[in-house]
Amino acid sequence: MSQRESRTGDARLDGLAEALAGRFGGVGCKTLTGEGEVTLVVPRERLLSVAADLRDHEDFRFEQLIDVCGVDYAAYGRSEWATADASSTGFGRGVERAFDLDEIEDPERFAAVYHLLSVTHNRRLRLRVYAGAPRPMVESVVGIWSSANWFEREAFDLFGILFNGHPDLRRILTDYGFIGHPFRKDFPLTGQVEMRYDPKQARVVYEPVSVEPRTLVPRVVRADSRYERGPAEPTDTPDS
């Protein structure tokens, strides 16, 4: 990309950020910029009105919803493992977690993130809405962008975020009767149940998971005198 194209792109993003701040700053929205992207953080109670304005207002015209995804910010920006020193490569075992994910009750732990495209102005925008706690829920935007239907079902299935007003909020990726939400950071990596085909019963049966979980953490580097090099020892030489 040439410097001229870069300056043009930055100017367009700055113009979008200024327009968003001027239009929605008074209703509690925050505009963030960085890495060549613009993010609008919207309060839950303002989502539908802001979304409709973004779609219809002449200055924005975000006609298309490209994606909706869930995010689990549990322990975001915190070190997950308590170690004195750790290497940047390799894995080891034997250290303890610095905190318990089950004890985290943060109203900003879960968020629904929307990616919008304006065909009219040829630019993109990210919306972020924190879903609250302990029961994360936001309003469904299916009535504004119909493409949100399956995306919201996916975020519900994987993260447990409820979308109020969704016409058919069912799981879409996991199996029937699945328990829990596998993309939450407190969900076990090995899962909770496993299934197999039982030839005697001629059907699929569900059983508690039999895989023994392992804790994989960055390899801890500790000082050990066994590996310290001492003075060079003389070597025996055969008699001449």
Side-chain angles (χ1 to χ4, degrees):
M1 179 183 294
S2 66
Q3 292 184 352
R4 180 178 180 182
E5 291 173 334
S6 177
R7 289 194 299 268
T8 302
D10 292 342
R12 292 177 60 190
L13 290 178
D14 292 342
L16 174 60
E18 292 176 3
L20 292 169
R23 182 72 178 180
F24 303 112
V27 295
C29 296
K30 297 180 181 179
T31 304
L32 309 176
T33 59
E35 303 298 331
E37 298 179 328
V38 179
T39 301
L40 185 66
V41 183
V42 183
R44 282 194 300 166
E45 64 275 11
R46 298 286 185 178
L47 174 59
L48 293 184
S49 60
V50 170
D53 216 4
L54 289 172
R55 182 194 63 183
D56 300 332
H57 195 280
E58 188 62 34
D59 292 342
F60 306 114
R61 292 293 185 187
F62 287 100
E63 306 98 338
Q64 294 187 14
L65 175 72
I66 303 300
D67 184 33
V68 180
C69 62
V71 181
D72 183 356
Y73 286 106
Y76 178 75
R78 298 169 58 183
S79 176
E80 186 175 359
W81 304 100
T83 61
D85 296 291
S87 66
S88 59
T89 60
F91 289 88
R93 301 179 66 182
V95 297
E96 298 179 355
R97 278 180 182 262
F99 52 87
D100 189 352
L101 284 173
D102 295 332
E103 298 177 355
I104 298 177
E105 294 185 4
D106 186 352
E108 294 187 354
R109 172 180 173 177
F110 296 102
V113 179
Y114 308 77
H115 295 91
L116 309 179
L117 170 66
S118 171
V119 178
T120 301
H121 300 294
N122 189 26
R123 57 192 181 190
R124 298 174 184 269
L125 174 66
R126 178 192 295 116
L127 297 185
R128 183 192 305 156
V129 181
Y130 292 108
R135 191 171 181 232
M137 178 184 295
V138 298
E139 295 295 322
S140 172
V141 297
V142 171
I144 298 174
W145 296 289
S146 59
S147 61
N149 193 320
W150 282 19
F151 294 139
E152 291 182 349
R153 286 180 59 186
E154 183 179 29
F156 160 70
D157 191 359
L158 300 180
F159 290 92
I161 299 174
L162 299 171
F163 292 87
N164 186 40
H166 190 284
D168 187 21
L169 194 61
R170 294 177 293 133
R171 291 185 182 272
I172 192 172
L173 294 177
T174 56
D175 196 9
Y176 297 107
F178 191 91
I179 299 174
H181 304 282
F183 275 17
R184 288 189 175 189
K185 291 185 177 179
D186 52 359
F187 191 86
L189 295 178
T190 57
Q192 296 171 334
V193 297
E194 63 185 22
M195 64 179 185
R196 63 177 178 85
Y197 179 77
D198 190 324
K200 294 182 178 180
Q201 302 183 51
R203 67 180 181 87
V204 173
V205 296
Y206 293 84
E207 299 171 333
V209 64
S210 61
V211 179
E212 183 177 350
R214 291 191 305 157
T215 302
L216 298 179
V217 300
R219 178 167 61 90
V220 179
V221 180
R222 295 184 176 90
D224 194 327
S225 60
R226 293 177 299 172
Y227 303 107
E228 292 181 358
R229 294 183 178 271
E233 298 180 357
T235 58
D236 296 333
T237 56
D239 295 335
S240 56

